[in-house]
Amino acid sequence: MPTVRSVGVRARDQDRVHACAALDRALADGQIDAEEHATRIALATDARALEDLHDLIGDLQGESDLAPMASPGTAAAGLSRRGRPSVLSAVIRWAVLLVVAALLFLGVRACASDDSATGTYGSAGYLEPRAMDDIVASTGILLGTTVVDELMFYSEYALLRAPSPDDPGRERRYQYRDGEWRQSDDADRDRETAIVDLADLGPGVLGGLVLGAGASLNIAEIDSLYLFVRNTGAGPAISLHASNEAANEDGYLEASLSGDFLSVTPFDPTA
């Protein structure tokens, strides 16, 4: 698994957004699973070097808009605004992704119980404000504490990582689907991992960020969105990534647990 380094050509916010978009595509077409996607997304949003982002998506099939690695001389002159632009390939790529997503959605709906995300909460599933509030509340019941390493929301499921109560060098992982938490395999955990207390989340903050994401990120029609709550090392934060996959529009923001924006990288049609 690639690790984040602190040397090399510096990554821009837009580079991180492009890397996250490539990871979203890899999740959608089955190249990586949900837990690996969550791990790589966390590394991508923390990446300081462009090379780190290339390491995170280098083993994946398909093109990306991530700026190419430049020679030292070229880097000194400045990075290009975009890497390997191709309108046709972008259209084809996102069209395929939408078809796959539609097939997955239809498959889920065909066999879904009343406890499914969309069946319980509506079209946005676990990204509906009420659903996110319910999931946050359920973590305290599950763990007996609201202190976690990370909580990540997708429309059809949520992922939770928390320190093992028996060994802080181990991490317990859970997936929330169809109205219940299921524990997956434990993993090694860095004892220095920064934690976040979900009890510090302001009321309605998660739902407000999701509902306002289109305006905040300059994306008129969002068809893919996820967010996670974690401690970045600089403090607890909510990270949200949204896109219009068909139009190749991506944006990213970070906010405090009280809902104040820490950084916003909206879609830039001129980039």
Side-chain angles (χ1 to χ4, degrees), residues 188-245:
D188 290 333
R189 176 180 182 271
D190 185 343
R191 292 173 182 266
E192 301 302 316
T193 299
I195 56 178
V196 59
D197 191 342
L198 298 178
D200 293 334
L201 272 170
V205 167
L206 296 178
L209 290 173
V210 170
L211 293 175
S216 300
L217 299 177
N218 191 32
I219 302 174
E221 295 184 14
I222 293 175
D223 52 26
S224 177
L225 185 150
Y226 56 86
L227 65 83
F228 49 99
V229 184
R230 62 183 176 128
N231 192 320
T232 63
I238 303 162
S239 301
L240 183 151
H241 181 268
S243 63
N244 180 320
E245 296 165 344

Side-chain angles (χ1 to χ4, degrees), residues 26-27 30-39 154 157 159:
L27 173 66
Q31 294 186 63
I32 56 177
D33 62 19
E35 290 193 358
E36 186 171 3
H37 176 264
T39 298
Y154 295 84
Y157 58 89
L159 299 174

Side-chain angles (χ1 to χ4, degrees), residues 115-187:
D115 292 329
S116 69
T118 54
T120 303
Y121 293 106
S123 60
Y126 294 138
L127 291 171
E128 293 281 358
R130 181 168 64 90
M132 291 187 287
D133 288 344
D134 287 349
I135 290 173
V136 168
S138 73
T139 61
I141 299 172
L142 173 72
L143 302 173
T145 177
T146 54
V147 174
V148 303
D149 287 341
E150 181 179 68
L151 177 59
M152 195 168 199
F153 294 89
Y154 295 84
S155 62
E156 292 293 336
Y157 58 89
L159 299 174
L160 174 66
R161 299 179 178 181
S164 170
D166 304 318
D167 181 1
R170 297 289 292 173
E171 178 181 75
R172 289 190 175 176
R173 298 182 174 185
Y174 303 86
Q175 183 174 115
Y176 189 89
R177 191 185 290 270
D178 294 336
E180 63 180 6
W181 288 106
R182 300 181 178 91
Q183 186 172 356
S184 56
D185 293 338
D186 289 1

Side-chain angles (χ1 to χ4, degrees), residues 80-125:
S80 62
R81 291 295 293 174
R82 294 180 68 87
R84 300 196 302 274
S86 172
V87 175
L88 180 58
S89 64
V91 171
I92 293 174
R93 182 169 71 249
W94 295 120
V96 171
L97 179 57
L98 285 174
V99 170
V100 172
L103 290 173
L104 289 173
F105 176 74
L106 290 173
V108 169
R109 289 300 299 271
C111 62
S113 69
D114 289 340
D115 292 329
S116 69
T118 54
T120 303
Y121 293 106
S123 60

Side-chain angles (χ1 to χ4, degrees), residues 18-100:
H18 289 321
C20 288
L23 293 168
D24 293 347
R25 174 184 176 276
L27 173 66
D29 63 19
Q31 294 186 63
I32 56 177
D33 62 19
E35 290 193 358
E36 186 171 3
H37 176 264
T39 298
R40 294 198 188 197
I41 286 290
L43 289 171
T45 56
D46 282 344
R48 298 173 62 189
L50 185 61
E51 185 178 0
D52 296 328
L53 296 175
H54 278 278
D55 284 349
L56 288 167
I57 68 171
D59 62 338
L60 304 177
Q61 297 185 54
E63 297 182 9
S64 81
D65 291 325
L66 181 61
M69 292 299 299
S71 64
T74 304
L79 294 173
S80 62
R81 291 295 293 174
R82 294 180 68 87
R84 300 196 302 274
S86 172
V87 175
L88 180 58
S89 64
V91 171
I92 293 174
R93 182 169 71 249
W94 295 120
V96 171
L97 179 57
L98 285 174
V99 170
V100 172

